[in-house]
Amino acid sequence: ARFLQLCCRGPANRLCGMNKPVNVHGTGLVLGELGVLLRGPSGAGKSVLSMALLDRWEGRGQPAFLVADDRVDIADEGTRLVMLAPPQLAGLIELRGRGIVSRPHREWAQLHLVIDLVPELTRMVEEEDLQTEMFGHTLPRAPVPQAGVVGLGHQILLVAEAAAQAVQQAAP
């Protein structure tokens, strides 16, 4: 019932009729016009990287919003996947050493790009590693070394490059 209330009001009303969402471990963001899902094990640095990405996009005058941290609902709309914020997590993100903090957020966003935080740096990534399959949809993917393998600046550059390529791929 909560899902139908969430998706059937305001601008998200076109999401009605989707399959029941699946809750996944990850952090959902809106960076510019892209919906981005960061995946990785607990402690890999998803939240810190997410906050840094939000700051970078916002600092450049581009839209930057949190969908949800730690858990994100993914719904299959048929032609696309949509990230939804579980109500209890909307706008909240954990900053280890500080606690739970709030950030501007969106209740939902189309998913365009998956960032996987991985345990090692691959110097030259194979083409087949630059896409992933989720619920029958093929999406652009970027493997990004997790916290401690490379610095935060390197992680941000890898995500920014993947985002730029995803935007180019999406252009008509």
Side-chain angles (χ1 to χ4, degrees):
R2 172 68 180 135
F3 170 70
L4 289 177
Q5 290 173 353
L6 173 66
C7 80
C8 292
R9 67 170 199 256
N13 64 0
R14 66 175 173 235
L15 302 177
C16 294
M18 291 186 307
N19 295 328
K20 182 176 170 135
V22 175
N23 191 265
V24 299
H25 180 75
T27 299
L29 305 173
V30 175
L31 300 175
E33 300 303 316
L34 290 179
V36 179
L37 177 66
L38 281 80
R39 304 187 297 190
S42 182
K46 293 181 298 296
S47 297
V48 169
L49 177 56
S50 294
M51 292 178 78
L53 291 167
L54 291 170
D55 285 348
R56 177 186 171 117
W57 259 255
E58 187 176 79
R60 292 175 177 224
Q62 297 178 14
F65 297 96
L66 177 67
V67 176
D69 181 43
D70 194 45
R71 305 298 306 177
V72 180
D73 290 335
I74 305 291
D76 185 347
E77 193 186 32
T79 59
R80 65 185 187 168
L81 295 176
V82 175
M83 299 182 293
L84 299 152
Q88 67 276 20
L89 300 177
L92 302 176
I93 189 166
E94 181 183 5
L95 177 57
R96 289 184 183 194
R98 178 68 179 187
I100 305 299
V101 298
S102 64
R103 289 292 179 265
H105 72 282
R106 295 260 171 93
E107 290 183 10
W108 68 275
Q110 182 176 343
L111 177 56
H112 298 98
L113 174 65
V114 175
I115 304 297
D116 282 325
L117 296 183
V118 297
E120 60 188 28
L121 173 63
T122 301
R123 187 165 175 232
M124 299 296 286
V125 179
E126 297 292 330
E127 194 67 32
E128 64 265 10
D129 292 330
L130 297 177
Q131 57 184 18
T132 190
E133 188 87 12
M134 282 186 77
F135 308 109
H137 295 262
T138 301
L139 295 164
R141 171 189 182 261
V144 172
Q146 62 191 27
V149 177
V150 297
L152 183 59
H154 193 160
Q155 289 179 310
I156 292 169
L157 290 173
L158 290 170
V159 174
E161 183 62 27
Q165 287 182 349
V167 167
Q168 286 178 347
Q169 289 175 359

